[in-house]
Structures are given as structure tokens and as C-alpha cells.
Amino acid sequence: MLSSFGTAARFSGASRRLAQCPLFHSAKRRAYATADSQTVRIVEVGPRDGLQNEKGIIPLDLKVQLIDRLGRAGMKVIEAGSFVSPKWVPQMADTPSVLQRISHPPGVRYPVLVPNRRGLDDLLALLEQHPKASLVDEVAVFTGATDAFTRANTNVTVAESLAKLEPVVLAAKERGMRVRGYVSVVVRCPYSGAVDPKGVRDVTKALIDMGCYEVSLGDTVGMATPPQVREMLDEVTKSVDVDLLAFHDTYGTAVANVFAALEAGVRVFDSSVGGLGGCPYSPGATGNVATEDLVYALTTRSSGPSDIDLSELEAINLNELVDIAAWISSELGRPLTSRAGRAILARRARMEVKAKL
């Protein structure tokens, strides 16, 4: 899934490739959440991660409508786009216009990806042009967990990638922005196979130490299983508390992985409405876990921790979310892939038939 990242034209084509894949999220709870926080939250990545790999140009009005509808449905964090090169990721070329056109209701945040200093500078230039508008206050940067992946995608090692990211993070923080870090291939690398959890731990800690308030760990290949998720989290949490986790749903294990992460203490998960997304550099990878699947699974669960707070998820309008998923899937010319979405729509159809009898 373009999870997440597309790099810019002014950046190398190699860096463009790393930018496009999904993630788990892990955060240092001591910095931005209380240790006893039990509130479960979802970060909606569809408008960025779900759209930036589409082949046809998506109209600006459609993107604005998607983001605004998600906000009205109850989503509180919606990734709005990326400051990347239109040459490499044309779907994100209008991110500045998207940020200016969306409604910005109180209580909803709209983070964006800035793959390097040029991307951050472009964002800062936009903010300087609109000093009275609260367009965005959070950005994201990214790297990988293996040298093989970062070399194949950005022509640098993990250490070199981190060295390039540090000044970007510092500059964003100096402007008062929150910064999220992303790490790809945290379970399996398409180039070197199984990933050592210790390497994931070290990269995660490095991002936290340079100033990221949370780090997103991506199952880029989409092959993680619950035992592997637990093993990885056990290692990462030796240095960093885990608060965020998102999954790339290729083999249908994403929801199961979410429950494994929930048991491990994770309370924030990334997902994409309609399951939109897909990483072009991970053969066979499909999309993110669908937001409607995640909301349904978590709010109707019969297992897992008993002391978690689901009030934020319960405030999301699931029926509206399914409508949005069906609508955007249709607009993109693809079938709705989410299990809960299809089931809810089928139930509605049956009820309509019965009502006519």
C-alpha cells in the first residue's frame, strides 16, 4: 500500500519507491499519552495511502469530499496527503489545495507526509502563505528496518537514512509541529527475508530519540501473523512503549494482528476506508485493513482486554463509513473489499427486499 509514502521528484526515484508501503504504529507513551490511557483510536490513512497509488488522476473535489465525509462520520485523525513530487506521485500533487479546501472541523487532525527537507520546506511555504489558517500541525517521515530494503528503495543504508531524517524532524519541531516516524518491513523484507526484531527496535528508538512522538512499524509485505507481531512488539517495547499499530491486509490476518497488538498494549491503529491501498513494491500485497472492518471488529469483540475505552470508536457512524467505502470504491472503479462493508450492504439489501414483500 502506498502506505505511506511517496517521495518527490526533486528526490531520487529510489526514494519514491520506499515511500509507498504500509505500517504498524508504535509510540513512546510517556511523551504523548498517559501510561494508563486505555482509549482505542484509529488513524484513517485512506485519503493518502489509499489514493496515491491510483493510476488515473483523482479530481480534487473527490478528495475533498472523501476527507470531509470521513470527518462527519466521526474519524478524528485523517491523513490528508503528501508533499511529494508530482512527477513520482501525481495523485498527491494537489495536497496544498486539499488542505485549503477541506472543512477543518474542530477536533479533527490532518497530518501529511514530508519525505525529506524539500517536502517540509514546501509545506512551510504553504503555511507562511496562509498564516491565519490552521491547515496542519503534524508531519510524518519514513525509513526502513533493513539495509536491503533502504538500499533498494532509497540507495542508502538505514543509518544513512536516519542521518538524513534528523534535520527534517528537528526543523519541523522547531516550527511547533508534531512528527511521526514510519518504519517499513518490520516483519519480513522482500529482499532479505525475515527481519530481526532487534533491528526494528533500534530504528524505532532512533526515530524516537531524534524527536518523533510516535513511530509507525509497517508490515510492508503483508505477511505478519499474530505470533510474529507479539515477538516484534516484545523486542521493540524493551526500548519504546507501543501505542500505535496498523496492518497491511494481504493474507487476511490484519484484524487478528490488531487483536494481538491490543493484548500487547497497543491502543491506536491505522486503517483505510474500503481497504484502499496497496504497495507496488511488495508483489501480491493488496490494501490496508479496512476501517469499517476494524471498527466493527473492535466494537463487537467478545475477547481482548476488558479495561479498554472504546468510546471514540463507538462514536464513529459505522453505517456512514460503509456508505463512504462503497462510494469511493465505486468512484475508483473497484469492488468493495471489506468484509464488514459487504455484509452490512447485503443485510440492507435483504431488508429492502423484505420491506417490499
Side-chain angles (χ1 to χ4, degrees):
M1 115 184 135
L2 285 180
S3 163
S4 309
F5 327 119
T7 46
R10 3 208 212 230
F11 325 127
S12 70
S15 70
R16 164 178 61 94
R17 295 193 290 273
L18 172 61
Q20 305 174 349
C21 299
L23 344 159
F24 310 109
H25 283 134
S26 132
K28 193 167 186 179
R29 197 178 303 152
R30 291 187 296 274
Y32 281 90
T34 59
D36 60 351
S37 174
Q38 294 298 312
T39 301
V40 179
R41 298 185 291 113
I42 290 177
V43 175
E44 171 59 52
V45 302
R48 178 186 59 79
D49 197 25
L51 297 183
Q52 69 179 18
N53 196 34
E54 291 297 315
K55 294 180 180 179
I57 296 299
I58 299 172
L60 171 62
D61 287 346
L62 188 69
K63 294 178 183 178
V64 172
Q65 188 177 355
L66 172 62
I67 293 172
D68 283 348
R69 287 186 65 174
L70 287 166
R72 289 195 297 270
M75 304 308 300
K76 296 300 184 183
V77 183
I78 305 169
E79 290 193 326
S82 304
F83 279 76
V84 298
S85 166
K87 177 180 178 181
W88 298 121
V89 191
Q91 293 295 5
M92 297 291 104
D94 56 3
T95 292
S97 297
V98 169
L99 290 172
Q100 294 174 71
R101 291 269 308 273
I102 56 179
S103 298
H104 292 279
V108 181
R109 293 170 25 226
Y110 301 96
V112 295
L113 178 75
V114 292
N116 57 20
R117 184 56 194 256
R118 180 59 183 269
L120 177 62
D121 287 345
D122 287 348
L123 170 60
L124 294 178
L126 173 68
L127 298 181
E128 288 174 1
Q129 294 169 11
H130 304 276
K132 296 182 179 180
S134 299
L135 299 180
V136 61
D137 63 359
E138 182 174 324
V139 298
V141 297
F142 65 87
T143 186
T146 70
D147 284 336
F149 190 84
T150 56
R151 283 197 183 103
N153 290 279
T154 60
N155 291 323
V156 296
T157 65
V158 172
E160 291 167 340
S161 174
L162 290 170
K164 290 184 176 183
L165 291 180
E166 187 167 12
V168 179
V169 173
L170 293 176
K173 288 175 66 65
E174 286 175 358
R175 295 298 295 265
M177 292 185 173
R178 288 155 53 96
V179 183
R180 173 188 291 175
Y182 293 98
V183 184
S184 293
V185 296
V186 300
V187 173
R188 189 171 185 84
C189 174
Y191 306 103
S192 57
V195 176
D196 184 354
K198 293 180 180 178
V200 180
R201 178 199 66 197
D202 293 344
V203 175
T204 302
K205 187 175 186 301
L207 288 170
I208 291 293
D209 288 347
M210 72 174 64
C212 293
Y213 80 91
E214 65 187 27
V215 175
S216 172
L217 307 172
D219 176 29
T220 309
V221 182
M223 296 178 64
T225 62
Q228 292 170 328
V229 170
R230 285 190 289 269
E231 179 185 8
M232 183 271 296
L233 291 176
D234 284 346
E235 187 61 42
V236 171
T237 53
K238 291 179 180 178
S239 299
V240 179
D241 291 338
V242 176
D243 282 330
L244 295 139
L245 187 62
F247 295 94
H248 188 54
D249 190 4
T250 297
Y251 295 153
T253 57
V255 172
N257 289 339
V258 165
F259 277 90
L262 196 68
E263 291 283 3
V266 174
R267 295 294 178 263
V268 183
F269 303 92
D270 276 14
S271 61
S272 176
V273 64
L276 301 178
C279 180
Y281 303 101
S282 291
T286 53
N288 296 287
V289 59
T291 305
E292 57 272 26
D293 282 349
L294 197 52
V295 171
Y296 178 82
L298 290 172
T299 57
T300 62
R301 68 189 181 89
S302 59
S303 60
S306 59
D307 58 347
I308 58 175
D309 179 2
L310 295 171
S311 59
E312 188 166 313
L313 270 59
E314 290 167 344
I316 295 172
N317 188 323
L318 180 58
N319 282 309
E320 177 61 22
L321 209 54
V322 170
D323 288 342
I324 297 169
W327 163 74
I328 191 62
S329 296
S330 176
E331 291 287 339
L332 297 176
R334 61 176 62 189
L336 178 61
T337 60
S338 67
R339 296 169 179 84
R342 293 198 307 267
I344 290 172
L345 290 175
R347 182 178 62 194
R348 286 186 196 170
R350 290 194 300 270
M351 294 175 64
E352 289 174 0
V353 170
K354 288 182 179 180
K356 293 178 181 179
L357 295 178

